[in-house]
Amino acid sequence: LAKTTQPISMDSYEGQEVNITCSHNNIATNDYITWYQQFPSQGPRFIIQGYKTKVTNEVASLFIPADRKSSTLSLPRVSLSDTAVYYCLVGDSQTGANNLFFGTGTRLTVIP
Amino acid sequence: DAGVIQSPRHEVTEMGQEVTLRCKPISGHNSLFWYRQTMMRGLELLIYFNNNVPIDDSGMPEDRFSAKMPNASFSTLKIQPSEPRDSAVYFCASSLASNTEAFFGQGTRLTVV
């Protein structure tokens, strides 16, 4: 099972770009990388998923280097409402599931 | 679609009582997940179903916990007997397939006194 390592917490000012990096040294060939966001008292919410290179949607970008041993979630111009915990997950090659194991997550605090 | 629906939202029960948590996944979704979240242990996967069949229940803490999915639109997580250390927020999530985006319910906050 590929484990993930993320910083425990990060602070950023409003309007800044925030990059959260996740390490997954044991990622398997078929594993995808998925990021979720969780606000207090709510369930996690899907942000973005990718396999390699770069993926962008209306919320974030995901950068994955060629060796796929890490990934970086990029949030452009954060606002106070982006204060949340961000989780990086990699797939489980045995079952093929991508939504199984949440790590400790990164608690992002956006400061006015 | 109303999303994943969990009930009850809050449950307070006495130690030793049976607790049943309920989940209605999004219609058409084939995978269903039960998670438990606490400050100490974070988000833990308890069990995962695919097409109503349990695929991985290695996260179920002990025999006091059981989960069923009798049909594609309903799942239960039962704790019998409940203990104070079971106090947590329990989330249910569903996805179209096991490798696609998961949608989480609002959770059930369980307090065992």
Side-chain angles (χ1 to χ4, degrees):
Chain A
L1 175 65
K3 292 185 178 178
T4 60
T5 304
Q6 306 173 233
I8 294 295
S9 64
M10 294 179 69
D11 293 339
S12 176
Y13 288 102
E14 269 191 299
Q16 298 289 310
E17 176 184 81
V18 171
N19 295 309
I20 306 174
T21 297
C22 178
S23 297
H24 26 79
N25 291 318
N26 297 323
I27 190 168
T29 303
N30 295 331
D31 288 344
Y32 277 72
I33 300 154
T34 311
W35 285 80
Y36 284 82
Q37 173 192 56
Q38 186 178 26
F39 297 114
S41 302
Q42 293 186 25
R45 185 180 72 163
F46 173 90
I47 302 175
I48 198 166
Q49 184 181 78
Y51 183 79
K52 62 180 179 180
T53 63
K54 178 183 174 183
V55 179
T56 297
N57 61 23
E58 64 278 6
V59 176
S61 294
L62 179 59
F63 298 92
I64 306 168
D67 66 5
R68 303 195 335 115
K69 292 184 184 299
S70 67
S71 59
T72 299
L73 175 73
S74 181
L75 305 171
R77 299 180 299 282
V78 293
S79 63
L80 296 177
S81 62
D82 293 318
T83 293
V85 178
Y86 293 81
Y87 295 94
C88 163
L89 287 75
V90 295
D92 177 36
S93 301
Q94 280 194 319
T95 63
N98 282 324
N99 306 303
L100 298 188
F101 302 106
F102 287 73
T104 55
T106 297
R107 183 175 299 277
L108 172 66
T109 303
V110 180
I111 306 164
Chain B
D1 200 312
V4 175
I5 299 173
Q6 292 186 244
S7 63
R9 290 294 308 278
H10 302 274
E11 175 84 27
V12 180
T13 190
E14 290 185 346
M15 183 173 64
Q17 296 297 306
E18 177 180 292
V19 174
T20 299
L21 310 182
R22 296 173 175 79
C23 175
K24 178 176 166 38
I26 293 173
S27 177
H29 281 192
N30 295 319
S31 295
L32 184 138
F33 311 82
W34 281 101
Y35 292 88
R36 175 173 69 177
Q37 187 168 35
T38 61
M39 287 294 292
M40 291 295 293
R41 295 188 298 269
L43 261 168
E44 304 172 277
L45 176 73
L46 299 177
I47 188 168
Y48 146 52
F49 292 86
N50 202 35
N51 294 318
N52 312 340
V53 176
I55 302 300
D56 184 352
D57 65 353
S58 58
M60 295 286 265
E62 47 198 270
D63 292 346
R64 297 185 298 107
F65 285 67
S66 63
K68 294 182 180 179
M69 192 164 186
N71 56 62
S73 60
F74 185 66
S75 176
T76 59
L77 177 68
K78 186 176 293 186
I79 309 172
Q80 165 64 20
S82 58
E83 297 182 2
R85 60 190 168 126
D86 301 330
S87 297
V89 180
Y90 290 81
F91 287 105
C92 175
S94 71
S95 61
L96 273 173
S98 62
N99 59 355
T100 60
E101 171 185 356
F103 294 82
F104 282 74
Q106 291 284 72
T108 295
R109 181 173 296 277
L110 173 66
T111 303
V112 183
V113 297

